[in-house]
Amino acid sequence: MDFLPIFLNPHAKPCLIIGGGPVALRKAELLSHTDAIVTALAPAFHPNFEPLVRSGKILLRRKAFDSSDLKGFALVIAATDDTSLNATIAHSARKKGLWVNVVDQPELCDFIMPAIVDRSPLIIAVSSGGRAPILARLIRARLESLIPANFGRLAELAGRFRSRVKQVVPNSKERRRFWERVLQGSVGELMLAGQTTAAADAMEATLDSIRDGDLPPPGHVALVGAGPGDPDLLTFRALRLMQEADTVVFDRLVSAEILALVRRDAEKIYAGKARSEHTLPQEQINHLLVRLAKEGKRVVRLKGGDPFIFGRGGEEIESLAAEKIPFTVVPGITAASGCASYAGIPLTHRDYAQSCLFVTGHRRGDQPNLDWNKRVVPQQTLVIYMGLLGLQEICQALIRHGMAPDMPAALIQSGTTPQQKVIIATVSTLAERAREKNAAAPTLIIIGEVVKLSEKLSWFQSQEKGGEK
């Protein structure tokens, strides 16, 4: 190990940056995020130093370097574009017992500046020992995507309760298990979701339960939108929760590729929800989520698309709230956005549609349950979920209520997946074209002038076109 990883407390320490170019500026901007007293020394400075000066973060000295300039400083960064000058600075600083960093010359450094993931007070540093700084930055970029922004708040919460937890749980091994359970349980999830007050209340309740000798508080339920099918459309938070879950309750619209990303040893419970073939009725799903959480489990309710758009997520969190079960909701890319994008159909467009309406084509009895008068509106895109079974009746009713028979219409099957099929037609011919192509669920129907743009804008190649235009 060429460099020992340490974290320096720069509070009120005088730090000197020698150099006035872009490299020196980057170091100055980094130090400006600390409480260090920063001085930059150079004959001339990049214009972007001025905002730092105005904010009081840095002092500029416009002069050439002399070894006497090092007096009074605790730390020195040599960031000029003159390698011989940088070597002179390093030699002079070392003679005075100062720590010195020379940009891009690790052999002259007492310390190096790593790539940083800042989730203050949580700080993650990545270093290649100066050998491959670009590689360190690439690793940092990956960590940035994996570590939620609110991890810093979670660290602050743990710091706030640290001494109290030590009093309530004096045994170090039990205390370690306590923190693992808390940080990965409902308290942690509430904080990562930005619910700081609820997280603090849950922490208080956890400590009270331990004092009283009660069982641990309930687990946590996350309603997670899995998106329309393409695993690349999952949010970072969705992926993290799926990989931390004890139990995942999923429905038919969650693709196998997405399920493959769930933690391997997690319990997986299929909830069905195919049309008229519910493996578990909704009320039983609600009870199941409550029961699993009361067993102390981290539960992910994985739903295709977005939980709050025809996903009945509202009903599920009502049941959780009634039982005081901590929960979070993770939005997903809904089928309308995902399928339309992959089919090259913008849902709104200045020349074609100034509004967009989402409706469900679920039938009540023998007919789709829609308010037809509000569905036929000029320059509006109509998006119909779950409309395949009643497609003929839907199209006929729209025409009866004033929609032009030649209005462009599209049916998208298995949108955003490799099996995607896009059928382009008109309102009067879409049902016939869907029968000819043996369309099968899951499907999404888009009706409106914007469908005209599909041929021009679609990049998805497995598209079938036909019917009148």
Side-chain angles (χ1 to χ4, degrees):
M1 190 162 57
D2 295 331
F3 288 88
L4 178 67
I6 61 173
F7 287 87
L8 177 70
N9 180 2
H11 178 68
K13 288 184 172 62
C15 301
L16 178 65
I17 300 171
I18 302 170
V23 176
L25 175 63
R26 288 198 296 271
K27 303 304 179 185
E29 288 172 337
L30 179 61
L31 284 176
S32 73
H33 293 296
T34 73
D35 292 329
I37 302 170
V38 184
T39 300
L41 184 148
F45 291 95
H46 189 284
N48 287 352
F49 272 93
E50 289 302 324
L52 296 176
V53 174
R54 289 196 298 271
S55 67
K57 296 288 187 180
I58 192 171
L59 173 68
L60 302 186
R61 294 185 64 193
R62 300 179 187 274
K63 67 181 294 292
F65 169 74
D66 183 270
S67 61
S68 62
D69 295 319
L70 299 174
K71 185 178 180 180
F73 289 98
L75 182 144
V76 178
I77 298 175
T80 78
D81 55 6
D82 184 335
T83 56
S84 61
L85 176 57
N86 286 342
T88 298
I89 295 168
H91 178 70
S92 300
R94 200 165 287 116
K95 281 179 63 176
K96 296 179 180 294
L98 304 179
W99 280 23
V100 62
N101 169 268
V102 181
V103 176
D104 290 335
Q105 292 180 263
E107 69 279 2
L108 296 178
C109 293
D110 296 313
F111 70 95
I112 56 177
M113 307 287 275
I116 294 172
V117 179
D118 187 358
R119 300 290 187 268
S120 295
L122 180 68
I123 303 293
I124 301 166
V126 182
S127 172
S128 66
R131 290 177 177 82
I134 297 301
L135 179 60
R137 290 175 198 163
L138 292 174
I139 294 172
R140 179 194 64 186
R142 292 193 181 188
L143 292 173
E144 289 277 10
S145 68
L146 294 173
I147 300 172
N150 280 335
F151 253 44
R153 291 186 180 182
L154 185 56
E156 289 176 348
L157 180 74
R160 250 167 55 205
F161 282 88
R162 186 177 178 186
S163 60
R164 290 175 57 190
V165 169
K166 196 170 184 178
Q167 293 172 0
V168 175
V169 190
N171 182 279
S172 60
K173 289 184 179 179
E174 291 181 3
R175 191 162 61 247
R176 185 183 70 246
R177 287 194 292 269
F178 167 86
W179 279 118
E180 288 173 351
R181 187 174 73 247
V182 164
L183 296 177
Q184 296 181 87
S186 60
V187 173
E189 287 307 325
L190 289 169
M191 183 58 77
L192 294 179
Q195 301 179 43
T196 53
T197 302
D201 291 345
M203 190 67 178
E204 294 282 3
T206 301
L207 290 176
D208 289 343
S209 69
I210 293 174
R211 280 195 205 92
D212 298 339
D214 295 337
L215 292 173
H220 178 272
V221 177
L223 271 68
V224 175
D230 186 345
D232 286 346
L233 298 181
L234 285 169
T235 64
F236 290 139
R237 179 177 290 176
L239 182 60
R240 177 179 59 79
L241 288 167
M242 288 162 57
Q243 294 178 344
E244 294 176 354
D246 299 311
T247 303
V248 175
V249 180
F250 66 98
D251 58 33
R252 182 181 61 92
L253 295 179
V254 178
S255 69
E257 293 80 7
I258 289 174
L259 277 177
L261 299 174
V262 171
R263 196 176 95 188
R264 289 183 184 274
D265 57 346
E267 178 187 19
K268 301 178 184 69
I269 301 175
Y270 177 55
K273 308 297 285 183
R275 184 181 63 233
S276 302
E277 297 177 1
H278 295 179
T279 299
L280 289 178
Q282 186 62 53
E283 187 174 347
Q284 288 188 29
I285 293 174
N286 299 345
H287 291 322
L288 173 65
L289 298 177
V290 169
R291 177 176 64 78
L292 291 169
K294 285 186 174 181
E295 292 173 0
K297 294 180 178 178
R298 293 170 295 176
V299 183
V300 165
R301 172 66 171 115
L302 198 56
K303 305 171 80 70
D306 182 276
F308 279 6
I309 299 183
F310 305 125
R312 304 187 73 172
E315 298 170 46
E316 293 175 1
I317 64 171
E318 279 186 317
S319 297
L320 296 170
E323 295 289 335
K324 295 183 170 53
I325 303 293
F327 66 85
T328 55
V329 180
V330 181
I333 294 178
T334 188
S337 297
C339 296
S341 296
Y342 277 50
I345 303 174
L347 295 178
T348 62
H349 188 287
R350 185 172 62 177
D351 297 331
Y352 298 105
Q354 280 71 56
S355 65
C356 180
L357 181 64
F358 295 175
V359 299
T360 174
H362 260 326
R363 294 152 62 102
R364 177 175 295 174
D366 293 330
Q367 297 296 324
N369 182 37
L370 294 172
D371 184 347
W372 301 109
N373 291 323
K374 293 180 181 178
R375 308 302 176 234
V376 183
V377 177
Q379 293 192 306
Q380 174 177 273
T381 303
L382 181 62
V383 179
I384 304 173
Y385 288 68
M386 298 167 284
L388 180 62
L389 184 63
L391 181 57
Q392 183 74 49
E393 293 89 344
I394 290 170
C395 292
Q396 290 174 350
L398 290 171
I399 293 171
R400 283 199 309 272
H401 286 79
M403 182 172 283
D406 62 352
M407 177 66 73
L411 183 144
I412 306 169
Q413 175 180 316
S414 301
T416 78
T417 73
Q419 293 75 42
Q420 173 170 301
K421 179 192 295 184
V422 180
I423 301 172
I424 303 295
T426 65
V427 173
S428 62
T429 62
L430 184 61
E432 179 184 353
R433 292 290 299 157
R435 283 194 297 271
E436 291 174 359
K437 296 298 181 181
N438 297 314
T443 61
L444 187 85
I445 300 161
I446 303 177
I447 300 173
E449 298 288 348
V450 290
V451 175
K452 293 178 180 177
L453 298 170
S454 177
E455 187 169 357
K456 181 190 300 184
L457 302 181
S458 176
W459 56 269
F460 207 98
Q461 296 304 309
S462 60
Q463 178 164 273
E464 300 190 32
K465 299 182 176 69
E468 296 88 9
K469 289 296 191 82

